[in-house]
Amino acid sequence: MGLCSSENRIMGLCSSENRIMGLCSSENGIMGLCSSENPRCHDFYGTNTKPTQKGEGNGGGGVHFQPLGFANDSNNSDGDEILKLFDILSSLKFAYLQFQKAHIPYEPKKIIVADELIVTQLEALWKIKRALKQNHFNAIESKSLQHDVLKEKVRYQEKLLEELKSKLEAQNIEAHCLKQQLRDLDSRNEMLGEKIMKRGASSSSINGFEETFIATYKSIHDFAKPLIALMKASGWDLDVAAKSIAESAVFFKRSDKKYAFEAYIARRMFYEMSYEPWNIEDVKKFDDPIEFLLMNPNSEFGKFCQRKYLLVVHPVMEASYFGNLDHRTLVQCGKHPRTLFYQIFAKMAKWVWILGGIAASTKAESFVVRSDSMFLDTFMESVKGDEGVLEGRCSYTVGFMVMPGFRVGKTLIKSRVYVSRSKLES
């Protein structure tokens, strides 16, 4: 019974495990598997292996068993189970060989011991099989769980990507709308800029015009000072020069003759002046107009300075001032000398230029006062203030005009005149 039981178990092992590692053979069993008749048995484990167990056999034959040299990875449970599997298979081969030896000669006790050993090894083999299946199942389940987690993450990322795409598209639409609004604003600003240029920017108001008028007269006064000083230094007769400018004027004081030179300068600066809505904003940005002229020598303002300098400073005057005509030569060549004298002239020209631009943008009309005209405080103002007009029932005449007057709409900017000492009783 023991033999049948053992043989039945062995045959069952051969059928269920598909003759694992060549354990069983359908023709001649396993007797010759690891005997002298089958020398390749030792090569199965490798040429460098050493036996760990030794079995006795007929004719000096023996069976030597050695586990395969797999690296044991502590982190890989399947690898550990496989190593155990080879150990069990080795033990099972050894047990089965002992079981066959117990039949020749026939020894029942050894057969029973060998049978129990085979059964033990088969049970261990079944446990290994179950453990491998369980590990495989756990691995599949773990990978499935990881796969589900990854799928969930991918779905979340895809959803987030769609949201970002939607936001980006909305932002692109908003940016396009903002760009269109910016283009519209630029277009409007350009139109407003042209209107402002024509109106003389903020100085187009009446107050701005009056302030510019006062600044222009002051710049003429500032240029007259060095002009008179150079005339004195050059030996000019100021009385004769003043007389040639205002023949009929009678001066209250000798120092009042400076107004004659201011009148001369203003007359030359406003001579044949065309009031056009030219661009004055670029010039207004510079406190020192010489800087603008050096960067833009051929601008409209630069050409204006060239014309007016040649008209105000006579070559005889310049030659007597400096001993040469270097200023005039440079100006005629389209250049602007960077000297103190020309710098003061350029500042005066700047304010005259700005006043002309504002007058054109506000459609202001200029008017002049002839010499020997009756003084009317409605249209005129004495350059000396109240000092130039004596109290009393008297009528005064205009010696000469220093600055022209302007009418801006219904507002009148009075002309600056020098009131002559001669008077007519009313």
Side-chain angles (χ1 to χ4, degrees), residues 322-372:
F322 309 111
N324 55 59
L325 298 176
D326 291 347
H327 283 75
R328 193 174 192 84
T329 302
L330 289 173
V331 172
Q332 287 176 337
C333 293
K335 298 180 180 180
H336 302 277
R338 194 161 190 172
T339 61
L340 180 61
F341 181 75
Y342 193 83
Q343 184 180 24
I344 299 173
F345 166 80
K347 287 183 178 180
M348 176 189 65
K350 166 190 169 182
W351 284 110
V352 175
W353 170 266
I354 293 174
L355 183 66
I358 297 176
S361 63
T362 56
K363 298 181 179 179
E365 298 177 352
S366 63
F367 64 89
V368 297
V369 179
R370 296 181 180 277
S371 300
D372 298 329

Side-chain angles (χ1 to χ4, degrees), residues 156-252:
Y156 174 76
Q157 296 295 337
E158 288 178 346
K159 182 179 178 181
L160 183 61
L161 180 61
E162 292 298 326
E163 292 178 356
L164 292 175
K165 286 182 178 179
S166 300
K167 290 181 180 180
L168 179 61
E169 185 176 358
Q171 289 177 354
N172 288 336
I173 294 174
E174 184 180 1
H176 178 73
C177 295
L178 291 175
K179 286 181 180 179
Q180 184 62 38
Q181 293 178 8
L182 181 61
R183 285 193 290 268
D184 294 341
L185 290 174
D186 289 339
S187 178
R188 292 179 184 177
N189 288 337
E190 186 176 354
M191 294 175 63
L192 290 174
E194 293 177 356
K195 291 181 181 179
I196 290 174
M197 186 184 300
K198 293 179 180 179
R199 294 178 182 178
S202 59
S203 298
S204 60
S205 63
I206 302 300
N207 293 334
F209 188 89
E210 291 180 350
E211 292 174 359
T212 305
F213 180 86
I214 295 172
T216 303
Y217 174 68
K218 182 179 182 302
S219 67
I220 292 174
H221 175 75
D222 292 341
F223 181 69
K225 285 183 178 180
L227 192 69
I228 295 172
L230 288 172
M231 292 179 70
K232 287 181 179 180
S234 303
W236 283 66
D237 190 337
L238 298 182
D239 295 333
V240 175
K243 189 70 175 178
S244 64
I245 297 172
E247 297 179 0
S248 60
V250 178
F251 296 97
F252 285 89

